[in-house]
Amino acid sequence: MSRILICANTLSGKTTFMYGTFHQMMKGIYGFTLTPKYHFAQFNRQCKRIGDTRLPLNERFPAPSDRIEEYTFILKYNLKTIDEIQWIDYPGNLVEEDEENPDNVRLMEYMDGADCLFLCVDGAHFNHDTRNGIINAINCDGGGMELNFMLNRAAVDRKTGNDKDLPPVCLIITKYDLVEPDKRNEEFLVDILKEVFPILFYPSVGQKSRLVSVCPVTLGRDIGQGGKLEPRNIEKPFCYLTFLRMAAALGQYRQEMEQMKTELLRRRAREEAHRSHRLLKRLLPQRPGNQVTEEELGRMVEACCQLERDLMDMKRSLQNMELFDNGKQIPWDRLIETRAGKS
């Protein structure tokens, strides 16, 4: 089971973002589908309510979450189940409690096992007149101080006190439709987030992993004023996690494929030896058990090629997301090289 930990202040839109992700991913993106393991009807009804412009706003959107919520989703690839995703919704205001508070103890446990960390920043906080005003709004009203405290705790091994890896992080600007047009500049938004979350963009001691992507999302233009449900980028944070998993899986596929090729070549050599030298039959008996066949290798090659195509398609869709590793911006191809190995 994989684990996503999403954390932000109440009213940031993170719970609504989860429903939007389900709305987009249930239909299938690049061969992947995401469906709830339990309570499909509940998720489906809520998605329909979000899209129903006839309803008043207070009835369209889910109630803000002020407690830890856990959801389980089924991830499928080409309609075959490949994983269960535990989605943990953790309200940032709980981080304000003492470190020994049971909820904060659970938070560190969740963090240790997280495959990806989603940190949400409300887009409404970007509309102050000055740069300092935006940064102060995110820190004081948007949970920036609490989230930084959480990151600082998570970046240290509790037993040894040594620096450790953070899970891959996606900084999500929710309610992007609320950001004023003159502030919808990618470089400007990233620079603000670098100042709010400097630990994520500073080279770590010993080159520990600090992989960070930035993604603005919206459920629709003017949806907060009664507009239509027209999601934009809403699936991309989850695609970011899936892209990492795909790249790692591609590396395993390539390794297995090379092993199968080697085994097949050895078997062909053995068979040729048997045909050419009858006396070797006693010295080189046929191996018992399952053996690699041409058909099996063909299926593996086909699966590997399909995964590569899907990975390239997903990479193209993620290109507009900034990606950083230890504070340096990197191309998405780098993740394929490091996680899947060069072919």
Side-chain angles (χ1 to χ4, degrees), residues 56-230:
L57 287 177
N58 64 338
E59 295 183 19
R60 285 181 69 177
F61 299 100
S65 174
D66 59 358
R67 57 193 176 91
I68 301 172
E69 302 276 4
E70 297 183 25
Y71 307 89
T72 303
F73 294 93
I74 303 298
L75 179 65
K76 295 185 177 183
Y77 179 64
N78 285 342
L79 298 180
K80 294 182 179 180
T81 298
I82 59 172
D83 198 6
E84 287 191 5
I85 306 293
Q86 186 183 29
W87 183 298
I88 301 165
D89 187 342
Y90 193 94
N93 54 289
L94 292 182
V95 184
E96 298 177 5
E97 304 296 331
D98 293 334
E99 292 182 37
E100 301 306 318
N101 180 284
D103 284 337
N104 272 335
V105 173
R106 288 174 66 191
L107 173 62
M108 290 299 103
E109 293 173 352
Y110 288 141
M111 183 72 76
D112 286 342
D115 294 279
C116 199
L117 175 62
F118 291 171
L119 299 182
C120 297
V121 178
D122 192 329
H125 295 311
F126 286 86
N127 291 334
H128 288 262
D129 293 333
T130 65
R131 186 188 192 90
N132 285 338
I134 295 173
I135 294 171
N136 288 334
I138 297 174
N139 280 329
C140 298
D141 303 324
M145 296 294 290
E146 292 79 16
L147 295 178
N148 270 300
F149 178 61
M150 177 190 73
L151 289 171
N152 275 278
R153 290 180 64 198
V156 177
D157 189 290
R158 286 174 289 167
K159 294 181 180 179
T160 66
N162 296 329
D163 188 37
K164 70 172 187 178
D165 286 339
L166 285 174
V169 175
C170 187
L171 291 172
I172 303 169
I173 303 174
T174 56
K175 308 177 190 176
Y176 187 59
D177 53 291
L178 297 183
V179 178
E180 294 172 351
D182 64 329
K183 294 183 174 66
R184 295 180 188 176
N185 177 283
E186 206 168 83
E187 185 176 350
F188 172 77
L189 296 174
V190 170
D191 283 346
I192 293 292
L193 293 175
K194 284 182 177 180
E195 291 198 42
V196 174
F197 301 105
I199 189 176
L200 295 178
F201 297 92
Y202 192 80
S204 64
V205 177
Q207 290 295 299
K208 294 292 183 180
S209 178
R210 294 285 187 274
L211 193 64
V212 183
S213 64
V214 178
C215 185
V217 302
T218 177
L219 285 172
R221 185 177 60 184
D222 301 324
I223 193 169
Q225 289 76 46
K228 296 180 180 180
L229 175 63
E230 296 174 333

Side-chain angles (χ1 to χ4, degrees), residues 249-258 304 308 340-343:
L250 181 59
Q252 293 179 352
Y253 269 45
R254 287 174 175 172
Q255 185 177 5
E256 291 179 20
M257 189 167 61
E258 290 304 314
C304 188
E308 286 180 325
K342 294 182 179 179
S343 58

Side-chain angles (χ1 to χ4, degrees), residues 248-303:
L250 181 59
Q252 293 179 352
Y253 269 45
R254 287 174 175 172
Q255 185 177 5
E256 291 179 20
M257 189 167 61
E258 290 304 314
Q259 290 174 348
M260 292 175 73
K261 287 180 179 178
T262 301
E263 177 63 23
L264 193 57
L265 288 173
R266 286 176 179 171
R267 184 166 67 84
R268 287 173 180 168
R270 292 167 66 90
E271 290 175 349
E272 181 61 28
H274 278 281
R275 284 193 295 268
S276 303
H277 306 284
R278 294 181 180 180
L279 292 177
L280 288 180
K281 289 184 178 180
R282 296 178 182 178
L283 300 176
L284 298 173
Q286 294 289 339
R287 289 178 58 188
N290 295 328
Q291 296 181 352
V292 175
T293 65
E294 296 277 2
E295 292 76 13
E296 289 172 332
L297 179 59
R299 287 193 293 269
M300 175 61 76
V301 171
E302 183 180 354

